[in-house]
Short mmCIF file of all heavy atoms in Angstrom, two decimals:
data_model
loop_
_atom_site.label_atom_id
_atom_site.label_comp_id
_atom_site.label_asym_id
_atom_site.label_seq_id
_atom_site.Cartn_x
_atom_site.Cartn_y
_atom_site.Cartn_z
N ASP A 253 21.74 36.57 50.14
CA ASP A 253 21.44 37.35 51.15
C ASP A 253 21.79 38.94 50.91
O ASP A 253 21.29 39.78 51.56
CB ASP A 253 22.32 36.97 52.31
CG ASP A 253 22.02 35.59 52.77
OD1 ASP A 253 20.82 35.30 53.16
OD2 ASP A 253 22.95 34.58 52.69
N VAL A 254 22.61 39.08 49.82
CA VAL A 254 22.99 40.41 49.34
C VAL A 254 23.08 40.38 47.95
O VAL A 254 23.65 39.40 47.34
CB VAL A 254 24.40 40.83 50.03
CG1 VAL A 254 24.92 42.10 49.41
CG2 VAL A 254 24.36 40.95 51.50
N ILE A 255 22.76 41.52 47.19
CA ILE A 255 22.99 41.64 45.83
C ILE A 255 23.96 42.70 45.66
O ILE A 255 23.79 43.84 46.19
CB ILE A 255 21.65 41.98 45.07
CG1 ILE A 255 20.80 40.76 45.11
CG2 ILE A 255 21.99 42.31 43.59
CD1 ILE A 255 19.44 41.02 44.52
N HIS A 256 25.08 42.47 44.86
CA HIS A 256 26.15 43.46 44.70
C HIS A 256 26.04 43.75 43.22
O HIS A 256 26.46 43.02 42.29
CB HIS A 256 27.51 42.85 45.18
CG HIS A 256 28.59 43.87 45.08
ND1 HIS A 256 29.73 43.71 45.74
CD2 HIS A 256 28.82 44.96 44.33
CE1 HIS A 256 30.62 44.72 45.55
NE2 HIS A 256 30.06 45.38 44.73
N ALA A 257 25.46 44.89 42.87
CA ALA A 257 25.32 45.38 41.58
C ALA A 257 26.33 46.21 41.06
O ALA A 257 26.66 47.27 41.77
CB ALA A 257 23.79 46.00 41.33
N HIS A 258 26.83 45.97 39.93
CA HIS A 258 28.07 46.79 39.37
C HIS A 258 27.60 47.67 38.29
O HIS A 258 27.15 47.24 37.20
CB HIS A 258 29.18 45.83 38.92
CG HIS A 258 29.67 44.98 40.03
ND1 HIS A 258 30.85 45.22 40.58
CD2 HIS A 258 29.24 43.79 40.58
CE1 HIS A 258 31.09 44.30 41.62
NE2 HIS A 258 30.17 43.47 41.48
N ASP A 259 27.75 49.03 38.58
CA ASP A 259 27.50 50.13 37.66
C ASP A 259 25.88 50.51 37.61
O ASP A 259 25.09 49.77 38.33
CB ASP A 259 27.93 49.79 36.18
CG ASP A 259 29.47 50.11 35.97
OD1 ASP A 259 30.02 50.88 36.64
OD2 ASP A 259 29.96 49.33 35.28
N MET A 260 25.64 51.65 37.10
CA MET A 260 24.39 52.27 37.26
C MET A 260 23.18 51.53 36.69
O MET A 260 22.21 51.27 37.44
CB MET A 260 24.42 53.69 36.79
CG MET A 260 25.28 54.63 37.53
SD MET A 260 25.22 56.49 36.97
CE MET A 260 26.04 57.18 38.31
N ARG A 261 23.43 51.07 35.40
CA ARG A 261 22.21 50.34 34.77
C ARG A 261 21.86 49.09 35.51
O ARG A 261 20.75 48.81 35.74
CB ARG A 261 22.52 50.08 33.34
CG ARG A 261 21.52 49.39 32.60
CD ARG A 261 21.88 49.30 31.09
NE ARG A 261 20.88 48.75 30.22
CZ ARG A 261 20.89 48.65 29.02
NH1 ARG A 261 21.82 49.10 28.30
NH2 ARG A 261 19.73 48.12 28.38
N THR A 262 22.87 48.33 35.93
CA THR A 262 22.65 47.20 36.65
C THR A 262 22.00 47.37 37.91
O THR A 262 21.18 46.65 38.46
CB THR A 262 23.97 46.42 36.83
OG1 THR A 262 24.63 46.17 35.51
CG2 THR A 262 23.77 45.03 37.43
N SER A 263 22.53 48.40 38.67
CA SER A 263 21.95 48.78 39.97
C SER A 263 20.46 49.12 39.81
O SER A 263 19.62 48.86 40.80
CB SER A 263 22.74 50.03 40.60
OG SER A 263 24.01 49.53 40.77
N PHE A 264 20.10 49.82 38.71
CA PHE A 264 18.77 50.19 38.49
C PHE A 264 17.81 49.01 38.35
O PHE A 264 16.75 48.83 38.97
CB PHE A 264 18.59 51.09 37.31
CG PHE A 264 17.15 51.34 36.81
CD1 PHE A 264 16.32 52.14 37.51
CD2 PHE A 264 16.71 50.81 35.57
CE1 PHE A 264 14.96 52.46 37.05
CE2 PHE A 264 15.51 51.00 35.21
CZ PHE A 264 14.61 51.79 35.88
N VAL A 265 18.31 48.07 37.52
CA VAL A 265 17.49 46.66 37.27
C VAL A 265 17.35 46.01 38.64
O VAL A 265 16.29 45.54 38.95
CB VAL A 265 18.20 45.91 36.22
CG1 VAL A 265 17.44 44.50 36.15
CG2 VAL A 265 18.07 46.60 34.88
N ALA A 266 18.54 46.00 39.39
CA ALA A 266 18.47 45.18 40.62
C ALA A 266 17.57 45.86 41.70
O ALA A 266 16.85 45.18 42.46
CB ALA A 266 19.82 45.19 41.20
N ALA A 267 17.52 47.22 41.63
CA ALA A 267 16.70 47.86 42.61
C ALA A 267 15.11 47.64 42.34
O ALA A 267 14.34 47.74 43.21
CB ALA A 267 16.87 49.37 42.46
N LEU A 268 14.77 47.25 41.11
CA LEU A 268 13.35 47.03 40.77
C LEU A 268 12.99 45.77 41.12
O LEU A 268 11.73 45.55 41.30
CB LEU A 268 13.21 47.20 39.21
CG LEU A 268 13.49 48.61 38.67
CD1 LEU A 268 13.28 48.65 37.11
CD2 LEU A 268 12.53 49.66 39.24
N CYS A 269 13.85 44.81 41.52
CA CYS A 269 13.37 43.39 41.68
C CYS A 269 14.03 42.80 42.92
O CYS A 269 13.78 41.53 43.27
CB CYS A 269 13.70 42.54 40.59
SG CYS A 269 15.33 42.15 40.12
N CYS A 270 14.94 43.54 43.75
CA CYS A 270 15.60 42.96 44.91
C CYS A 270 14.70 42.65 46.09
O CYS A 270 15.00 41.81 47.01
CB CYS A 270 16.79 43.67 45.17
SG CYS A 270 16.50 45.40 45.75
N GLY A 271 13.55 43.36 46.13
CA GLY A 271 12.68 43.22 47.30
C GLY A 271 13.36 43.49 48.60
O GLY A 271 13.86 44.61 48.73
N ARG A 272 13.35 42.55 49.61
CA ARG A 272 13.96 42.81 50.85
C ARG A 272 15.36 42.53 50.93
O ARG A 272 16.10 42.72 51.99
CB ARG A 272 13.21 42.08 51.92
CG ARG A 272 11.76 42.62 52.11
CD ARG A 272 11.09 41.83 53.28
NE ARG A 272 9.70 42.36 53.45
CZ ARG A 272 8.90 41.72 54.43
NH1 ARG A 272 9.32 40.79 55.25
NH2 ARG A 272 7.58 42.27 54.60
N ILE A 273 15.88 42.03 49.87
CA ILE A 273 17.31 41.66 49.79
C ILE A 273 18.19 42.97 49.82
O ILE A 273 17.97 43.85 48.95
CB ILE A 273 17.70 40.73 48.54
CG1 ILE A 273 16.81 39.47 48.66
CG2 ILE A 273 19.23 40.41 48.58
CD1 ILE A 273 16.93 38.72 47.30
N PRO A 274 19.12 43.16 50.65
CA PRO A 274 20.07 44.37 50.65
C PRO A 274 20.74 44.41 49.29
O PRO A 274 21.35 43.48 48.79
CB PRO A 274 20.91 44.11 51.85
CG PRO A 274 20.28 43.14 52.70
CD PRO A 274 19.48 42.16 51.78
N LEU A 275 20.78 45.68 48.91
CA LEU A 275 21.43 46.01 47.57
C LEU A 275 22.59 46.80 47.89
O LEU A 275 22.60 47.87 48.50
CB LEU A 275 20.40 46.73 46.61
CG LEU A 275 21.10 47.24 45.34
CD1 LEU A 275 21.55 46.13 44.35
CD2 LEU A 275 20.05 48.14 44.51
N ILE A 276 23.75 46.38 47.32
CA ILE A 276 24.96 47.21 47.30
C ILE A 276 25.32 47.64 45.89
O ILE A 276 25.39 46.80 45.02
CB ILE A 276 26.23 46.34 47.87
CG1 ILE A 276 25.86 45.75 49.22
CG2 ILE A 276 27.46 47.27 47.91
CD1 ILE A 276 25.54 46.79 50.34
#
């Protein structure tokens, strides 16, 4: 229901594929 991405590189990858799932 939530993706918690740690650090910038991981956040970038998560942002490209999280769709409608909220990203922290």
Side-chain angles (χ1 to χ4, degrees):
D253 301 296
V254 174
I255 295 174
H256 190 153
H258 297 265
D259 285 326
M260 289 185 173
R261 181 173 184 170
T262 307
S263 298
F264 170 70
V265 173
L268 297 179
C269 65
C270 62
R272 295 184 179 181
I273 303 170
L275 173 65
I276 308 299

